[in-house]
Coordinates of all heavy atoms in Angstrom, one line a residue:
K159 N 0.8 -1.2 0.0 CA 0.0 0.0 0.0 C 0.9 1.2 0.0 O 2.1 1.2 0.0 CB -0.9 0.0 1.2 CG -1.9 -1.2 1.2 CD -3.0 -1.0 0.2 CE -3.9 -2.2 0.3 NZ -4.9 -2.1 -0.7
D160 N 0.2 2.4 0.0 CA 1.0 3.6 0.0 C 1.0 4.3 1.4 O 0.7 3.7 2.4 CB 0.2 4.6 -1.0 CG 0.2 4.1 -2.4 OD1 1.3 3.8 -2.9 OD2 -0.9 3.9 -3.0
T161 N 1.4 5.5 1.4 CA 1.5 6.3 2.6 C 0.3 7.2 2.8 O -0.5 7.3 1.9 CB 2.8 7.1 2.7 OG1 2.7 8.2 1.7 CG2 4.0 6.3 2.4
S162 N 0.3 8.0 3.8 CA -0.9 8.8 4.1 C -0.8 10.1 3.2 O -1.8 10.8 3.1 CB -1.0 9.2 5.5 OG 0.2 9.9 5.9
Y163 N 0.3 10.4 2.7 CA 0.4 11.7 1.9 C 1.0 11.5 0.5 O 1.1 12.4 -0.3 CB 1.2 12.7 2.6 CG 2.7 12.5 2.7 CD1 3.6 13.0 1.8 CD2 3.2 11.6 3.7 CE1 4.9 12.7 1.8 CE2 4.6 11.4 3.7 CZ 5.4 11.9 2.8 OH 6.8 11.6 2.8
A164 N 1.4 10.3 0.2 CA 2.0 10.0 -1.1 C 1.8 8.6 -1.6 O 1.6 7.7 -0.8 CB 3.5 10.3 -1.0
N165 N 2.0 8.4 -2.9 CA 2.0 7.1 -3.5 C 3.5 6.7 -3.5 O 4.4 7.5 -3.4 CB 1.4 7.1 -4.9 CG 0.0 7.4 -4.9 OD1 -0.4 8.5 -5.3 ND2 -0.9 6.5 -4.5
V166 N 3.7 5.4 -3.7 CA 5.1 4.9 -3.8 C 5.3 4.3 -5.2 O 4.4 3.8 -5.8 CB 5.4 3.9 -2.7 CG1 5.4 4.5 -1.3 CG2 4.4 2.7 -2.7
A167 N 6.6 4.4 -5.6 CA 7.1 3.7 -6.8 C 8.4 3.0 -6.5 O 9.2 3.5 -5.8 CB 7.3 4.8 -7.9
F168 N 8.5 1.9 -7.1 CA 9.7 1.0 -6.9 C 10.4 0.8 -8.2 O 9.8 0.5 -9.2 CB 9.4 -0.3 -6.3 CG 8.7 -0.2 -4.9 CD1 7.3 -0.1 -4.8 CD2 9.4 0.0 -3.8 CE1 6.7 0.0 -3.6 CE2 8.8 0.1 -2.5 CZ 7.4 0.1 -2.5
F169 N 11.8 0.8 -8.2 CA 12.5 0.6 -9.4 C 13.1 -0.9 -9.4 O 13.7 -1.3 -8.4 CB 13.7 1.5 -9.5 CG 14.4 1.4 -10.8 CD1 13.8 1.6 -12.1 CD2 15.8 1.2 -10.9 CE1 14.4 1.5 -13.3 CE2 16.5 1.1 -12.1 CZ 15.8 1.2 -13.3
T170 N 12.7 -1.6 -10.4 CA 13.1 -3.1 -10.5 C 14.5 -3.3 -11.1 O 15.0 -4.4 -11.1 CB 12.1 -3.8 -11.4 OG1 12.2 -3.4 -12.7 CG2 10.7 -3.7 -10.9
G171 N 15.0 -2.2 -11.7 CA 16.3 -2.3 -12.5 C 16.0 -2.1 -13.9 O 16.8 -1.8 -14.7
E172 N 14.7 -2.4 -14.3 CA 14.2 -2.1 -15.7 C 13.1 -1.2 -15.8 O 13.0 -0.4 -16.7 CB 13.8 -3.5 -16.3 CG 14.9 -4.4 -16.5 CD 14.5 -5.7 -17.3 OE1 13.5 -5.6 -18.1 OE2 15.0 -6.8 -17.0
H173 N 12.1 -1.3 -14.8 CA 10.9 -0.5 -14.8 C 10.6 0.1 -13.4 O 11.1 -0.5 -12.4 CB 9.7 -1.4 -15.2 CG 9.9 -2.2 -16.4 ND1 9.8 -1.7 -17.7 CD2 10.2 -3.5 -16.6 CE1 10.0 -2.6 -18.6 NE2 10.3 -3.7 -18.0
W174 N 9.8 1.1 -13.4 CA 9.2 1.7 -12.2 C 7.9 1.1 -12.0 O 7.0 1.1 -13.0 CB 9.1 3.2 -12.3 CG 10.5 3.8 -12.0 CD1 11.4 4.2 -13.0 CD2 11.1 4.1 -10.8 NE1 12.5 4.7 -12.4 CE2 12.3 4.7 -11.0 CE3 10.6 3.9 -9.4 CZ2 13.2 5.1 -10.0 CZ3 11.5 4.4 -8.4 CH2 12.7 4.9 -8.7
V175 N 7.6 0.5 -10.9 CA 6.3 -0.2 -10.6 C 5.7 0.5 -9.4 O 6.3 1.1 -8.6 CB 6.4 -1.7 -10.4 CG1 7.0 -2.4 -11.6 CG2 7.3 -2.0 -9.2
T176 N 4.3 0.4 -9.3 CA 3.6 1.0 -8.2 C 2.5 0.0 -7.8 O 2.1 -0.8 -8.6 CB 3.0 2.4 -8.6 OG1 2.4 3.0 -7.5 CG2 1.9 2.2 -9.7
P177 N 2.1 0.0 -6.5 CA 1.1 -1.0 -6.1 C -0.2 -1.0 -7.0 O -0.7 0.1 -7.3 CB 0.8 -0.6 -4.7 CG 2.1 0.1 -4.2 CD 2.5 0.8 -5.4
A178 N -0.7 -2.1 -7.3 CA -1.9 -2.2 -8.1 C -3.1 -1.8 -7.4 O -4.1 -1.4 -8.0 CB -2.1 -3.7 -8.6
H179 N -3.1 -1.8 -6.0 CA -4.2 -1.4 -5.2 C -3.8 -0.4 -4.2 O -3.6 -0.7 -3.0 CB -4.8 -2.7 -4.5 CG -5.1 -3.8 -5.5 ND1 -6.2 -3.8 -6.3 CD2 -4.4 -4.9 -5.8 CE1 -6.2 -4.8 -7.1 NE2 -5.1 -5.6 -6.8
P180 N -3.6 0.9 -4.6 CA -3.2 1.9 -3.7 C -4.3 2.3 -2.7 O -5.5 2.1 -3.0 CB -2.8 3.0 -4.6 CG -3.7 2.9 -5.8 CD -3.8 1.4 -5.9
L181 N -3.9 3.0 -1.7 CA -4.9 3.6 -0.8 C -5.8 4.6 -1.5 O -7.0 4.6 -1.4 CB -4.3 4.3 0.4 CG -3.5 3.3 1.4 CD1 -2.8 4.1 2.5 CD2 -4.5 2.4 2.0
L182 N -5.1 5.5 -2.3 CA -5.8 6.5 -3.1 C -5.0 6.5 -4.5 O -3.8 6.3 -4.5 CB -5.7 7.9 -2.5 CG -6.4 8.1 -1.2 CD1 -6.1 9.5 -0.6 CD2 -7.9 8.0 -1.5
P183 N -5.8 6.6 -5.6 CA -5.1 6.6 -6.9 C -4.1 7.7 -7.1 O -3.0 7.4 -7.8 CB -6.2 6.6 -7.9 CG -7.4 7.1 -7.2 CD -7.2 6.8 -5.7
G184 N -4.2 8.8 -6.6 CA -3.3 9.9 -6.8 C -3.2 10.4 -8.2 O -3.1 9.7 -9.1
T185 N -3.2 11.8 -8.3 CA -3.2 12.4 -9.7 C -1.9 12.2 -10.3 O -1.8 11.9 -11.5 CB -3.6 13.9 -9.6 OG1 -2.7 14.5 -8.7 CG2 -5.0 14.0 -9.1
H186 N -0.8 12.4 -9.6 CA 0.5 12.3 -10.2 C 0.8 10.8 -10.6 O 1.3 10.5 -11.7 CB 1.6 12.7 -9.2 CG 3.0 12.9 -9.8 ND1 4.0 13.4 -9.0 CD2 3.5 12.7 -11.0 CE1 5.1 13.4 -9.8 NE2 4.8 13.0 -11.0
R187 N 0.5 9.9 -9.7 CA 0.6 8.5 -10.0 C -0.2 8.1 -11.2 O 0.3 7.4 -12.1 CB 0.1 7.6 -8.8 CG 0.1 6.1 -9.0 CD -0.5 5.4 -7.8 NE -0.6 4.0 -8.0 CZ -1.6 3.5 -8.6 NH1 -2.6 4.2 -9.1 NH2 -1.7 2.1 -8.8
S188 N -1.5 8.5 -11.3 CA -2.3 8.2 -12.5 C -1.7 8.8 -13.8 O -1.8 8.1 -14.8 CB -3.7 8.8 -12.2 OG -4.3 8.2 -11.1
R189 N -1.2 10.0 -13.7 CA -0.6 10.5 -14.9 C 0.7 9.7 -15.3 O 0.8 9.4 -16.5 CB -0.2 12.0 -14.7 CG 0.4 12.6 -15.9 CD 0.7 14.1 -15.7 NE 1.6 14.4 -14.6 CZ 2.9 14.2 -14.5 NH1 3.6 13.8 -15.6 NH2 3.6 14.5 -13.5
L190 N 1.5 9.3 -14.4 CA 2.7 8.6 -14.7 C 2.3 7.2 -15.3 O 3.0 6.7 -16.2 CB 3.6 8.4 -13.5 CG 4.2 9.7 -13.0 CD1 4.9 9.5 -11.6 CD2 5.3 10.2 -14.0
I191 N 1.2 6.6 -14.8 CA 0.8 5.3 -15.4 C 0.3 5.6 -16.8 O 0.6 4.8 -17.7 CB -0.4 4.7 -14.5 CG1 0.2 4.3 -13.2 CG2 -1.1 3.6 -15.3 CD1 -0.8 3.9 -12.2
R192 N -0.5 6.6 -17.1 CA -1.0 6.9 -18.4 C 0.2 7.1 -19.4 O 0.1 6.8 -20.5 CB -1.9 8.1 -18.4 CG -3.3 7.9 -18.0 CD -4.2 9.1 -18.3 NE -3.7 10.4 -18.0 CZ -3.8 11.0 -16.8 NH1 -4.4 10.3 -15.8 NH2 -3.3 12.2 -16.6
E193 N 1.2 7.8 -18.9 CA 2.4 8.1 -19.7 C 3.3 6.9 -19.9 O 4.3 7.0 -20.6 CB 3.2 9.3 -19.1 CG 2.5 10.6 -19.1 CD 3.2 11.7 -18.4 OE1 4.2 11.4 -17.7 OE2 2.7 12.8 -18.4
G194 N 3.0 5.8 -19.2 CA 3.8 4.6 -19.4 C 5.1 4.6 -18.5 O 6.0 3.8 -18.7
K195 N 5.2 5.6 -17.6 CA 6.4 5.7 -16.8 C 6.3 4.8 -15.5 O 7.3 4.5 -14.9 CB 6.6 7.1 -16.4 CG 7.0 8.0 -17.6 CD 7.2 9.4 -17.2 CE 7.4 10.3 -18.4 NZ 7.5 11.7 -18.1
L196 N 5.1 4.4 -15.1 CA 4.9 3.5 -14.0 C 4.0 2.4 -14.5 O 3.1 2.5 -15.3 CB 4.1 4.2 -12.9 CG 4.8 5.1 -11.9 CD1 3.8 5.7 -10.9 CD2 6.0 4.4 -11.2
I197 N 4.3 1.2 -13.9 CA 3.5 0.0 -14.2 C 2.8 -0.5 -12.9 O 3.5 -0.6 -11.9 CB 4.3 -1.1 -14.8 CG1 5.0 -0.7 -16.1 CG2 3.5 -2.4 -15.0 CD1 6.1 -1.6 -16.5
E198 N 1.5 -0.7 -12.9 CA 0.9 -1.2 -11.7 C 1.2 -2.7 -11.6 O 1.3 -3.5 -12.5 CB -0.7 -1.1 -11.9 CG -1.1 0.3 -11.8 CD -2.6 0.5 -11.9 OE1 -3.2 0.1 -12.9 OE2 -3.2 0.9 -10.9
Q199 N 1.5 -3.1 -10.3 CA 1.9 -4.5 -10.0 C 1.5 -4.8 -8.6 O 1.6 -4.0 -7.7 CB 3.4 -4.5 -10.2 CG 4.1 -5.9 -9.9 CD 5.5 -5.8 -10.2 OE1 6.0 -5.4 -11.2 NE2 6.3 -6.2 -9.2
D200 N 1.2 -6.1 -8.3 CA 1.0 -6.6 -7.0 C 2.4 -6.6 -6.3 O 3.3 -7.2 -6.8 CB 0.4 -7.9 -6.9 CG -1.1 -7.9 -7.3 OD1 -1.8 -6.9 -7.0 OD2 -1.6 -8.9 -7.9
I201 N 2.5 -5.9 -5.2 CA 3.7 -5.8 -4.4 C 3.5 -6.3 -3.0 O 2.6 -5.8 -2.4 CB 4.3 -4.4 -4.5 CG1 4.6 -4.0 -5.9 CG2 5.5 -4.2 -3.6 CD1 4.9 -2.5 -6.1
T202 N 4.3 -7.2 -2.5 CA 4.2 -7.6 -1.1 C 5.3 -7.0 -0.3 O 6.3 -6.5 -0.8 CB 4.3 -9.1 -1.0 OG1 5.6 -9.6 -1.4 CG2 3.2 -9.8 -1.9
F203 N 5.2 -7.1 1.0 CA 6.2 -6.6 1.9 C 7.6 -7.3 1.7 O 8.6 -6.7 1.7 CB 5.8 -6.8 3.4 CG 6.7 -6.2 4.4 CD1 6.7 -4.8 4.5 CD2 7.5 -6.9 5.2 CE1 7.6 -4.2 5.5 CE2 8.3 -6.4 6.1 CZ 8.3 -5.0 6.3
A204 N 7.5 -8.6 1.4 CA 8.7 -9.4 1.1 C 9.4 -8.9 -0.1 O 10.6 -9.1 -0.3 CB 8.3 -10.9 1.0
D205 N 8.7 -8.3 -1.1 CA 9.3 -7.8 -2.3 C 10.3 -6.6 -2.1 O 11.1 -6.3 -2.9 CB 8.3 -7.4 -3.3 CG 7.4 -8.5 -3.8 OD1 7.9 -9.7 -3.8 OD2 6.2 -8.3 -4.1
L206 N 10.1 -5.9 -1.0 CA 10.8 -4.6 -0.8 C 12.3 -4.7 -1.0 O 12.9 -3.9 -1.6 CB 10.5 -4.0 0.6 CG 9.1 -3.5 0.8 CD1 8.9 -2.9 2.2 CD2 8.7 -2.5 -0.3
G207 N 12.9 -5.8 -0.5 CA 14.4 -6.0 -0.6 C 14.9 -6.2 -2.0 O 16.1 -6.1 -2.2
S208 N 14.0 -6.5 -2.9 CA 14.4 -6.8 -4.3 C 14.4 -5.6 -5.2 O 15.0 -5.7 -6.3 CB 13.5 -7.9 -4.9 OG 12.2 -7.3 -5.1
F209 N 13.9 -4.5 -4.7 CA 13.9 -3.3 -5.5 C 15.2 -2.5 -5.3 O 15.8 -2.5 -4.2 CB 12.7 -2.4 -5.2 CG 11.4 -3.0 -5.5 CD1 10.5 -3.4 -4.5 CD2 11.0 -3.4 -6.8 CE1 9.3 -4.0 -4.7 CE2 9.8 -4.0 -7.1 CZ 9.0 -4.3 -6.1
L210 N 15.6 -1.7 -6.3 CA 16.8 -1.0 -6.3 C 16.6 0.4 -5.6 O 17.5 1.0 -5.1 CB 17.4 -0.8 -7.7 CG 17.8 -2.1 -8.4 CD1 18.4 -1.8 -9.7 CD2 18.8 -2.9 -7.5
E211 N 15.4 0.9 -5.8 CA 15.1 2.3 -5.3 C 13.6 2.4 -5.1 O 12.8 1.7 -5.7 CB 15.5 3.3 -6.3 CG 15.3 4.8 -5.9 CD 15.8 5.8 -6.9 OE1 16.6 5.4 -7.8 OE2 15.4 6.9 -6.8
M212 N 13.2 3.3 -4.2 CA 11.8 3.6 -4.0 C 11.7 5.1 -3.9 O 12.5 5.8 -3.4 CB 11.3 3.1 -2.6 CG 9.8 3.4 -2.4 SD 9.2 2.6 -0.8 CE 9.6 3.9 0.3
R213 N 10.6 5.6 -4.5 CA 10.3 7.1 -4.4 C 8.8 7.3 -3.9 O 7.9 6.5 -4.2 CB 10.4 7.7 -5.8 CG 11.7 7.7 -6.3 CD 11.8 8.5 -7.6 NE 13.1 8.4 -8.2 CZ 13.6 9.1 -9.2 NH1 12.8 10.1 -9.7 NH2 14.8 9.0 -9.7
W214 N 8.7 8.3 -3.0 CA 7.4 8.7 -2.6 C 7.0 9.8 -3.6 O 7.7 10.8 -3.8 CB 7.4 9.3 -1.2 CG 7.4 8.3 -0.1 CD1 6.4 7.7 0.5 CD2 8.6 7.8 0.5 NE1 6.8 6.9 1.5 CE2 8.1 6.9 1.5 CE3 9.9 8.0 0.4 CZ2 9.0 6.2 2.4 CZ3 10.8 7.3 1.2 CH2 10.3 6.4 2.2
I215 N 5.8 9.7 -4.2 CA 5.4 10.7 -5.2 C 4.0 11.3 -4.8 O 3.1 10.6 -4.3 CB 5.3 10.1 -6.6 CG1 4.4 8.8 -6.6 CG2 6.7 9.7 -7.1 CD1 4.2 8.2 -8.0
N216 N 3.8 12.5 -5.1 CA 2.5 13.2 -5.0 C 2.5 14.4 -6.0 O 3.5 14.8 -6.5 CB 2.1 13.5 -3.6 CG 2.9 14.6 -3.0 OD1 3.3 15.5 -3.6 ND2 3.0 14.5 -1.6
A217 N 1.3 15.0 -6.1 CA 1.1 16.1 -7.0 C 1.8 17.3 -6.6 O 2.0 18.2 -7.4 CB -0.4 16.4 -7.2
M218 N 2.3 17.4 -5.4 CA 3.0 18.6 -4.9 C 4.5 18.6 -5.2 O 5.2 19.6 -4.8 CB 2.7 18.8 -3.4 CG 1.2 18.9 -3.1 SD 0.4 20.2 -4.1 CE 1.0 21.7 -3.3
M219 N 5.0 17.5 -5.7 CA 6.4 17.5 -6.0 C 6.7 16.8 -7.3 O 5.9 15.9 -7.7 CB 7.2 16.8 -4.9 CG 6.8 15.4 -4.6 SD 7.8 14.8 -3.2 CE 6.5 14.1 -2.2
T220 N 7.7 17.2 -8.0 CA 8.0 16.6 -9.3 C 8.7 15.3 -9.1 O 9.1 14.9 -8.0 CB 9.0 17.5 -10.1 OG1 10.2 17.5 -9.4 CG2 8.4 18.9 -10.3
W221 N 8.8 14.5 -10.1 CA 9.4 13.2 -10.0 C 10.9 13.3 -9.5 O 11.3 12.6 -8.7 CB 9.5 12.5 -11.4 CG 10.1 11.2 -11.5 CD1 11.4 10.9 -12.0 CD2 9.6 10.0 -11.0 NE1 11.6 9.6 -11.8 CE2 10.6 9.0 -11.3 CE3 8.4 9.6 -10.4 CZ2 10.4 7.6 -11.0 CZ3 8.2 8.3 -10.1 CH2 9.2 7.3 -10.4
E222 N 11.6 14.4 -9.9 CA 12.9 14.6 -9.5 C 13.0 15.0 -8.0 O 14.0 14.8 -7.4 CB 13.6 15.7 -10.4 CG 13.8 15.3 -11.8 CD 12.5 15.3 -12.7 OE1 11.6 15.9 -12.3 OE2 12.5 14.6 -13.7
E223 N 12.0 15.7 -7.5 CA 11.9 16.1 -6.1 C 11.5 15.0 -5.2 O 11.5 15.2 -4.0 CB 11.0 17.3 -6.0 CG 11.4 18.5 -6.7 CD 10.3 19.6 -6.7 OE1 9.1 19.3 -6.7 OE2 10.7 20.8 -6.6
A224 N 11.0 13.9 -5.7 CA 10.4 12.8 -4.9 C 11.4 12.4 -3.8 O 12.6 12.3 -4.1 CB 10.0 11.7 -5.8
I225 N 10.9 12.1 -2.7 CA 11.7 11.5 -1.6 C 12.2 10.1 -2.0 O 11.3 9.3 -2.5 CB 11.0 11.4 -0.3 CG1 10.5 12.8 0.1 CG2 11.8 10.8 0.8 CD1 9.5 12.9 1.2
R226 N 13.4 9.7 -1.8 CA 14.0 8.5 -2.3 C 14.5 7.6 -1.2 O 15.0 8.1 -0.2 CB 15.1 8.7 -3.3 CG 14.7 9.6 -4.5 CD 15.8 9.9 -5.3 NE 15.4 10.8 -6.4 CZ 16.1 11.0 -7.5 NH1 17.3 10.4 -7.7 NH2 15.7 11.8 -8.4
M227 N 14.5 6.3 -1.4 CA 15.2 5.3 -0.6 C 15.9 4.4 -1.5 O 15.4 4.0 -2.5 CB 14.2 4.5 0.3 CG 13.5 5.2 1.4 SD 12.4 4.1 2.3 CE 13.6 3.2 3.3
D228 N 17.2 4.1 -1.1 CA 18.0 3.2 -2.0 C 17.8 1.7 -1.5 O 17.1 1.5 -0.5 CB 19.4 3.6 -2.0 CG 20.1 3.5 -0.7 OD1 19.7 2.7 0.2 OD2 21.1 4.2 -0.5
R229 N 18.4 0.8 -2.2 CA 18.2 -0.6 -1.9 C 18.6 -1.0 -0.5 O 17.9 -1.7 0.2 CB 19.0 -1.4 -2.9 CG 18.8 -2.9 -2.7 CD 19.6 -3.8 -3.7 NE 19.0 -5.1 -3.7 CZ 18.9 -5.8 -4.8 NH1 19.4 -5.4 -5.9 NH2 18.4 -7.0 -4.7
M230 N 19.7 -0.4 0.0 CA 20.1 -0.7 1.4 C 19.1 -0.3 2.4 O 18.8 -1.0 3.3 CB 21.5 0.0 1.7 CG 22.0 -0.4 3.0 SD 23.6 0.4 3.4 CE 24.6 -0.1 2.1
Q231 N 18.5 0.9 2.2 CA 17.5 1.3 3.1 C 16.2 0.4 3.0 O 15.6 0.1 4.0 CB 17.1 2.8 2.8 CG 18.2 3.8 3.1 CD 17.9 5.1 2.5 OE1 17.7 5.2 1.3 NE2 18.0 6.2 3.3
L232 N 15.9 0.0 1.8 CA 14.7 -0.9 1.6 C 15.0 -2.2 2.3 O 14.1 -2.8 3.0 CB 14.4 -1.1 0.1 CG 13.8 0.1 -0.6 CD1 13.8 -0.1 -2.1 CD2 12.4 0.4 -0.1
E233 N 16.2 -2.8 2.1 CA 16.5 -4.1 2.8 C 16.4 -4.0 4.3 O 16.0 -5.0 4.9 CB 17.9 -4.5 2.3 CG 18.0 -5.0 0.9 CD 19.4 -5.3 0.4 OE1 20.4 -4.9 1.1 OE2 19.5 -5.9 -0.6
Q234 N 16.7 -2.9 4.9 CA 16.6 -2.7 6.3 C 15.2 -2.7 6.8 O 14.9 -3.0 8.0 CB 17.3 -1.4 6.7 CG 18.8 -1.5 6.5 CD 19.5 -0.2 6.8 OE1 18.9 0.8 7.1 NE2 20.8 -0.2 6.7
M235 N 14.2 -2.5 5.9 CA 12.8 -2.5 6.3 C 12.3 -3.9 6.4 O 11.2 -4.1 7.0 CB 12.0 -1.7 5.3 CG 12.3 -0.2 5.3 SD 11.4 0.7 4.0 CE 9.7 0.3 4.5
V236 N 12.9 -4.8 5.8 CA 12.4 -6.2 5.7 C 13.1 -7.0 6.8 O 14.3 -7.2 6.8 CB 12.7 -6.8 4.3 CG1 12.1 -8.2 4.2 CG2 12.0 -6.0 3.2
P237 N 12.3 -7.7 7.7 CA 13.0 -8.5 8.7 C 13.7 -9.7 8.1 O 13.2 -10.3 7.1 CB 11.8 -8.9 9.6 CG 10.6 -8.4 9.0 CD 10.9 -7.6 7.8
A238 N 14.8 -10.1 8.7 CA 15.6 -11.2 8.2 C 14.8 -12.5 8.5 O 14.0 -12.7 9.3 CB 16.9 -11.3 8.9

């Protein structure tokens, strides 16, 4: 799922994906999907460690301004 103020996007190494069932669709997220920059996908908590990067996105910030987490930070979120 997403956060209370932003949607999330994850980089697989090839594509940016976003949860198929977000809390709210989000206008920025919806536009990025329409433009083919994001792909909707079922994402589980266990998947977090496999992504290279995560970004929090919303309509109040550009893609470049999005808050980011790298792979090491994502791996720390997943219990061993």
Side-chain angles (χ1 to χ4, degrees):
K159 298 289 182 181
D160 296 304
T161 70
S162 60
Y163 72 95
N165 294 108
V166 291
F168 299 95
F169 187 57
T170 67
E172 293 184 34
H173 308 284
W174 281 95
V175 298
T176 189
H179 307 286
L181 294 174
L182 295 171
T185 57
H186 192 178
R187 176 186 174 277
S188 296
R189 182 177 53 79
L190 292 170
I191 292 168
R192 279 194 315 274
E193 293 173 354
K195 295 178 181 175
L196 279 181
I197 300 167
E198 290 182 293
Q199 176 178 309
D200 287 328
I201 298 170
T202 67
F203 188 72
D205 295 330
L206 292 181
S208 67
F209 297 116
L210 301 179
E211 183 179 343
M212 181 176 87
R213 293 186 187 192
W214 282 272
I215 55 174
N216 69 29
M218 301 305 289
M219 59 184 131
T220 66
W221 180 256
E222 293 76 21
E223 295 171 327
I225 300 166
R226 301 175 184 196
M227 288 182 77
D228 63 25
R229 183 178 198 146
M230 185 181 303
Q231 293 167 308
L232 289 169
E233 287 173 346
Q234 291 174 355
M235 292 176 61
V236 181

